Amino acid sequence: MRRDYYGERSLNGLRAVAEVKLHEGDEALDAKGLIEAARDVEIIVADRLTQGPGGIFPQLPKLRAFVRCAVDIRNIDVEAASAAGVLVTRASPGFVQSVAELALGFMVDLSRGVSRATAGYHAGRTPEVKMGRQLSGSRVGIVGYGSIGRYLAGIAKVLGMEILVSDPFVTISDAAVQHVLLDDLLARADYVVCLAIANAQTENLIGQAALARMSPHAFFINLSRGNLVDEAALAAALRENRIAGAAIDVGRALDQMPTMDLAKLPNVIATPHIGGLTPDAIEHQSSETVRQVEKIIKGEIPVGAVNADHWRRRP
């Protein structure tokens, strides 16, 4: 995880400003292990698998900050950290282009059967020849119009796609983008790309009712979080060919990876949560944690702080 999601350049950056203690195990530390490892530590820099449960903060009196090398901080008890006076920070999304490009790759693969044909050839058999679909002239529905959604819409526009967006929290001024209700998007889109934020309101956003609104020729793509999808409902829709197929980079397995039961279906393309796994994307976030640590050491509030008003354990 440190090699792929942090890198030597950022690690050397940390070492230039502080004494660094590394967790050398293959598995993420649990609460007990984290308390033991960080007993004399002032700043924890954590990957996305390392949780920050509330019980650790009172037991780490020297801890000043919990720095997350990821955007998602749902597995950190920010309230408990605040009560203990510990600063929590998050990284900004540096993976916008990387994830949007994977979405484009998924759309091409689903449309043209690239993975299916390749698997056939690898197995030593001639693949079935099937008619494909071009992206130009097709309709993409983007659920969630944040940074990735906007970037993907720009790509889709260049490709000559019709663009539908469902997001109740944004105003869209681009005349090439149709802002519609989710039900309308699901009914009309050839590709439904899920990029909404994962929270209590979007839990199982794509369930049986949503999937029933999709056309039999439509494809579903999830590059957000597994929590947004009722996987049993999606599996049933795929097995019964009520939708044409799906591509998933995330799911409800460990580290938000796709679950095997869903990923192994023949009309599914799955990747192991690698949407943001490019050197440019990773270095953006890891180098940001170095800048945050530099600020924290000086007693200054860094960009990315989520509970600055409660930070009492300042240097």
Side-chain angles (χ1 to χ4, degrees), residues 132-151:
R133 179 196 302 155
Q134 67 184 33
L135 299 187
S136 177
S138 295
R139 188 178 289 141
V140 60
I142 301 172
V143 182
Y145 203 56
S147 300
I148 301 171
R150 292 192 298 274
Y151 191 84

Side-chain angles (χ1 to χ4, degrees), residues 51-178:
Q51 299 184 34
I56 71 169
F57 299 108
Q59 297 191 59
L60 294 173
K62 296 183 180 180
L63 185 66
R64 301 186 186 278
F66 196 105
V67 175
R68 166 72 87 219
C69 188
V71 177
D72 194 344
I73 57 169
R74 287 178 298 161
N75 62 359
I76 300 175
D77 190 334
V78 178
E79 185 176 349
S82 297
V86 176
L87 183 70
V88 175
T89 72
R90 72 200 315 166
S92 61
F95 44 71
V96 172
Q97 293 86 352
S98 179
V99 174
E101 288 172 10
L102 183 58
L104 176 62
F106 278 162
M107 287 194 286
V108 172
D109 199 342
L110 289 166
S111 302
R112 307 305 292 272
V114 179
S115 294
R116 174 181 51 77
T118 300
Y121 281 122
H122 285 174
R125 63 177 184 272
T126 302
E128 180 185 359
V129 177
K130 290 187 176 182
M131 183 68 71
R133 179 196 302 155
Q134 67 184 33
L135 299 187
S136 177
S138 295
R139 188 178 289 141
V140 60
I142 301 172
V143 182
Y145 203 56
S147 300
I148 301 171
R150 292 192 298 274
Y151 191 84
L152 180 60
I155 296 173
K157 190 191 304 185
V158 172
L159 291 172
M161 301 185 76
E162 185 178 344
I163 305 162
L164 308 177
V165 166
S166 177
D167 189 327
F169 302 105
V170 299
T171 300
I172 301 174
S173 57
D174 190 338
V177 177
Q178 300 177 50

Side-chain angles (χ1 to χ4, degrees), residues 273-296:
H273 198 176
I274 49 85
L277 189 56
T278 61
D280 296 319
I282 294 308
E283 188 157 285
H284 172 96
Q285 294 191 317
S286 62
S287 62
E288 190 166 5
T289 67
V290 177
R291 293 190 294 272
Q292 290 171 337
V293 168
E294 289 175 332
K295 288 283 190 180
I296 291 166

Side-chain angles (χ1 to χ4, degrees), residues 190-225:
D190 300 311
Y191 308 88
V192 174
V193 184
C194 189
L195 294 170
I197 295 172
N199 55 34
Q201 288 70 43
T202 57
E203 185 81 15
N204 289 325
L205 177 70
I206 306 300
Q208 184 176 358
L211 292 163
R213 294 185 179 95
M214 291 177 61
S215 300
H217 72 269
F219 296 108
F220 175 73
I221 297 170
N222 189 13
L223 284 156
S224 177
R225 288 288 183 267

